[in-house]
Amino acid sequence: MTMKTVGILGGGQLARMMVLAGAPLGLRFELFDPAADACGAQLAPLQVAAFEDEAALAAFAARVDVVTFDFENVPAHSARFLAARVPVHPHPDALAVAQDRLSEKTLFQQLGIPLPPFADIRSRDELAARVAEFGMPCIVKTRRLGYDGKGQFRIRSAADIDAAWATLGDYVEKTGLILEGFVAFDREVSVVAVRGRDGEFRAWPVTGNWHVDGVLSASLAPAQLSPALHERAIGHARALAERLDYVGVFALELFCRGDELLVNEMAPRVHNSGHWTIEGSETSQFENHLRAVLGLPLGDTRMLGHACMLNWLGAMPEAAAVLGQPGGHWHDYGKQPRAGRKVGHATLRDADAQALADALDAVGAQLDRTAQVAPLIAALRS
Ligand code: AMP
């Protein structure tokens, strides 16, 4: 393979892990991010510029063979500007759909993928009327630019309608708003999947996810789902990828309630709930994303055992507790500590579910994270 240069819009930890996965393939990388301290810059050259800066984008396009993303909120017109100069995967149209909760939910509906009730909201009166229709609790979300539970307001009582409007009403103009029915889910799962340029589709086993305050805290693969639900979840991801003519890795987040699977959202990029694939599967999401965008054969997505991932938010804990476990792996993104910031993760893997539960138990006790590991241990021991 002649040496190729991959351009990545966004230079955070996802870009950083792509660079780590691409090095053995002989790939070079160029990153583009408005933040000079983007943590991917420790591993690859970074162009610091606004995503709207067309002169900087044109210079970037001239240095790379293909462009992809570590960040889905790159303005769609910037992605299209690049696509006029160099191949961009996933396609800017797919990015545009996934950037807007209303357009992605409308697409899910067209594909026959079940989802909670939703409505476009343009005024306080419309909000009040839809809350009455959906019932409480329900959730107001910004249509665009929301992530990790940001730009959301839960309405639990009639008094919350005014509070929600006071907090998010301004966003009608800036990003749009939607209201969503609340799902009292049994569990949350995600499908991380990849589609190649030739249309080949592969998915990793469905992952179970636990969120705290809207932010991913821990993942366990495979998720505890019946084979039928597992297949249904992957079928939804395949239908979506085919409709969007998607190229690369994406994640589809779903709520599981009894025998129902309700879709929440898609992320048009490698995803936090797929970080376990680095050590837990034959081919990681990062490597397969690169293979897909470069038109190379996709790698096998089979698991190498039970795997779980613990996110580190705010500051890194001591590594020794994880590194001392068989199948324990450590990822420090090289970021400055800051409250709530994703600064790293750990993956633990074991062929035996009970042994993995024991390892998690030990890690939770040593790092004072018993609440974070408890649901995973319960799932592994059930
Ligand atoms: P999101 O940014 O849409 O992925 O939301 C972040 C998290 O908030 C989800 O992973 C859920 O834990 C929770 N959440 C979001 N929307 C809903 C909903 N409609 N019903 C129940 N929980 C939700």
Side-chain angles (χ1 to χ4, degrees), residues 102 118-135 138 140 143 155 161-162 165 172 176-180:
L102 186 65
F118 66 95
D120 189 17
I121 299 294
R122 295 178 182 277
S123 69
R124 188 217 164 272
D125 287 349
E126 204 172 355
L127 175 63
R130 292 295 196 165
V131 170
E133 182 185 330
F134 292 176
C138 50
V140 189
R143 271 175 60 178
I155 296 181
I161 294 172
D162 281 328
W165 195 251
V172 167
L177 288 179
I178 62 161
L179 181 72
E180 259 179 55

Side-chain angles (χ1 to χ4, degrees), residues 242-284:
E242 286 173 359
R243 171 64 73 92
L244 292 172
D245 196 15
Y246 195 89
V247 173
V249 166
F250 66 100
L252 187 64
E253 297 183 52
L254 302 143
F255 302 125
C256 183
R257 183 176 65 188
D259 279 345
E260 282 180 299
L261 278 177
L262 301 170
V263 67
N264 177 26
E265 63 176 352
M266 83 166 288
R269 53 170 169 75
V270 290
H271 193 253
N272 198 167
S273 69
H275 289 359
W276 65 264
T277 62
I278 296 173
E279 294 92 1
S281 79
E282 183 68 38
T283 314
S284 78

Side-chain angles (χ1 to χ4, degrees), residues 105-115 236 239 243 261 263:
K105 284 171 193 293
T106 305
L107 178 62
F108 297 146
Q109 225 171 18
Q110 288 167 358
L111 290 168
I113 304 176
L115 74 171
H236 291 334
R243 171 64 73 92
L261 278 177
V263 67

